[in-house]
Amino acid sequence: MNGPLALFFGTRPQVIKASVLREALASAGPVVAVDTGQHYDYDLHQVHYDQLGVRPPDAYLDVGSDTHARQTAAILTACADWITANRPRAAIVIGDTNSTLACALAAAKLRVPVAHVEAGMSAADRLMAEEINRRSVDAIAEVLFPPSERVATKLRRQYPDALVETVGDVAYDVLQRALKKAPASGAGGADRFIFVTLHRAELVDDAARLRLVMEALAEAPLPCRFAAHPRTAAALERLGYAANGRVRLTPPVGYLESIALLRQASAVVTDSGGIQREAYWLGVPCITVREETEWVETVERGANRLIAPREAATLPAAIAQAIGGARLWDKSAYGDGHAAERIAAILAARF
Ligand code: UD1
C-alpha cells in the first residue's frame, strides 16, 4: 500500500501530542491527521488547536460522548469507513483512550499495520477502561513505541513478533516546545497554591471517594485551584458540592495555562498521567490520587507519591510534606524530548 501515514487521535492530550508527531512525520512522507471527535467541548479540545496554532485535522469523525460500548463502536465504524476510503499505509495511535482502541482495531481488521505510541504503559487494574484499551492495542500493533527501556524490555518479552523501539515520551517534546512559547512567570509568595486536576471515572464517578477527596483538599495547607474536567464538574454537581475559599473550581484550562499553573504551584494533586510527567520534568512535587501509576519512575525518583482514594484523609499531611521536600530529582527517565523525530525515522524506514 502506498497511501499516506494516518495519525488518529480524539482526546485533549492526544491533540497536543499529535500536533508534534504530525510535523515530524511529514518528513517521512504524506501524513493525514484524523480527529475522532471523542472530545468536543471548546475548553477540552478546540482550545488546543487555537492556542498551540495546531492546523485543523484533515478529517473529523464527529463521534462525541456516549457509553463506552457505543462510543467505541461509533469510532470503530467511522474509522473503518475512513480507512477503506483512504487506504493509509500505516495507522499511528497514541496512548490508551477509546479512540486509541477503536482506531487500532479498525486498522488491524483492514490489514493496515498499527504503530502504538506510549506502548506498554500497563497498570495492575486490568478492568480499568484505559488498561483494557492499552493492552488490546499493544497486542495487535506491529510497531510499539514505549517511552522507557524498562517498558521496552517487558514488551519484547510479551510480543516477540512486534518491532519494539524505545523512543522517549512525546509529551516531553511537547513540553519543551511549550516552554519556549511560555517563559516562566515567577511564583508569587503571596498567592501560593496547590494545582488540582482529577478526572478518572474510578474516582470521580464514586461519590463517596470524591467527597472524601474534596473534604481533604479543604484541609490542605495551601488553597487549591482545581481545573475540573466536565465529567468531574458534573459529579461535583450531583454531590451538591459548593466551592469554598480553600478550593477554587475552574473549567478545564488550555495546555499553556496548565503548564503555567503547574510551574507556579507549590505542589500538584492529580490523577492524570500527563500531569504526573509534566510535574516530574518541571520539578514540581506531585501527589497522585490513585492506587497505582503507570509512570513508576516518577515515584522511584522521589517526584511523585501515590495516595489511594480511600486514604484521602492523609492528603493534607502528604501535601505539607511534598511542599517542604527536595525537588532535585533525576529527570531523564523518559527520553530527551526528541521522541517524535525518532518515531518518524523508524516509520519511514519500516513503511
Ligand atoms: C478520556 C480518556 C482518558 C483520558 C482523558 C483525557 C477513555 C476511556 N478515557 O477520558 O484516558 O485521560 O480522556 O482528558 O478514552 N465530556 C464533555 N465534553 C467533552 C468530552 C467529554 O462534557 O468534550 C463528558 C461527557 O459527559 C462524557 C464524559 O465527559 O460522558 C467522559 O468523556 P470520555 O471521552 O468518555 O472520557 P474522558 O473521561 O474524557
Side-chain angles (χ1 to χ4, degrees):
M1 231 173 301
N2 47 19
L5 289 173
L7 179 59
F8 295 100
F9 51 95
T11 66
R12 160 172 66 175
Q14 291 172 336
V15 171
I16 304 170
K17 290 171 202 161
S19 72
V20 173
L21 276 169
R22 188 183 189 181
E23 229 180 273
L25 289 169
S27 64
V31 51
V32 179
V34 183
D35 184 337
T36 64
Q38 177 173 342
H39 282 171
Y40 48 88
D41 278 357
Y42 180 83
D43 48 11
L44 210 55
H45 203 58
Q46 183 63 35
V47 64
H48 301 302
Y49 282 101
D50 295 350
Q51 214 177 51
L52 301 172
V54 176
R55 268 191 299 140
D58 300 297
Y60 184 69
L61 305 182
D62 198 12
V63 297
S65 284
D66 211 322
T67 60
H68 278 241
R70 286 179 192 278
Q71 184 179 63
T72 309
I75 304 169
L76 178 65
T77 314
C79 182
D81 289 347
W82 186 90
I83 290 175
T84 304
N86 293 277
R87 302 311 299 170
R89 65 183 198 279
I92 300 140
V93 296
I94 311 166
D96 56 17
T97 68
N98 290 342
S99 293
T100 316
L101 171 66
C103 295
L105 203 49
K109 290 267 182 182
L110 291 166
R111 296 194 158 272
V112 171
V114 173
H116 187 201
V117 176
E118 261 175 45
M121 298 313 297
S122 253
D125 179 1
R126 61 205 312 254
L127 292 184
M128 182 172 76
E130 289 81 2
E131 188 63 22
I132 297 168
N133 293 343
R134 52 169 86 105
R135 288 190 192 201
S136 309
V137 175
D138 282 343
I140 55 177
E142 190 174 307
V143 184
L144 299 169
F145 291 121
S148 77
E149 197 46 42
R150 175 186 64 85
V151 177
T153 306
K154 180 193 73 173
L155 285 174
R156 287 192 188 103
R157 231 183 9 250
Q158 277 179 310
Y159 305 110
D161 295 345
L163 172 68
V164 179
E165 297 275 6
T166 308
V167 289
D169 188 348
V170 176
Y172 198 22
D173 302 25
V174 176
L175 177 67
Q176 290 188 345
R177 283 173 183 232
L179 292 180
K180 283 181 200 144
K181 275 194 185 177
S185 52
D191 58 347
R192 296 174 70 218
F193 63 93
I194 311 297
F195 182 39
V196 182
T197 82
L198 299 167
H199 76 281
R200 279 183 194 260
E202 292 72 19
L203 171 59
V204 302
D205 292 351
D206 182 323
R209 286 183 177 184
L210 184 59
R211 194 188 305 275
L212 199 62
V213 171
M214 296 312 289
E215 283 167 6
L217 290 176
E219 301 293 320
L222 289 174
C224 295
R225 291 201 203 168
F226 189 156
H229 182 289
R231 174 197 282 281
T232 313
L236 288 171
E237 203 173 307
R238 284 196 301 275
L239 269 189
Y241 178 81
N244 55 55
R246 299 295 292 167
V247 183
R248 197 171 111 202
L249 287 175
T250 71
V253 291
Y255 178 71
L256 293 180
E257 285 100 355
S258 171
I259 295 301
L261 282 167
L262 249 181
R263 294 177 93 187
Q264 290 166 30
S266 298
V268 58
V269 174
T270 192
D271 60 0
S272 148
I275 290 187
Q276 288 173 58
R277 279 120 78 204
E278 285 154 6
Y280 163 72
W281 290 313
L282 291 170
V284 180
C286 181
I287 293 170
T288 299
V289 188
R290 281 185 60 197
E291 302 269 349
E292 59 176 338
T293 179
E294 297 76 19
W295 305 94
V296 292
E297 290 85 353
T298 62
V299 175
E300 285 167 4
R301 290 167 198 224
N304 190 8
R305 175 166 169 193
L306 289 173
I307 302 264
R310 65 193 143 73
E311 284 161 9
T314 64
L315 264 175
I319 293 171
Q321 205 176 34
I323 294 171
R327 289 154 189 249
L328 296 170
W329 45 79
D330 168 24
K331 296 177 180 163
S332 64
Y334 307 116
D336 58 4
H338 295 281
E341 289 159 38
R342 283 191 199 101
I343 289 170
I346 292 160
L347 292 180
R350 174 93 176 189
F351 301 111

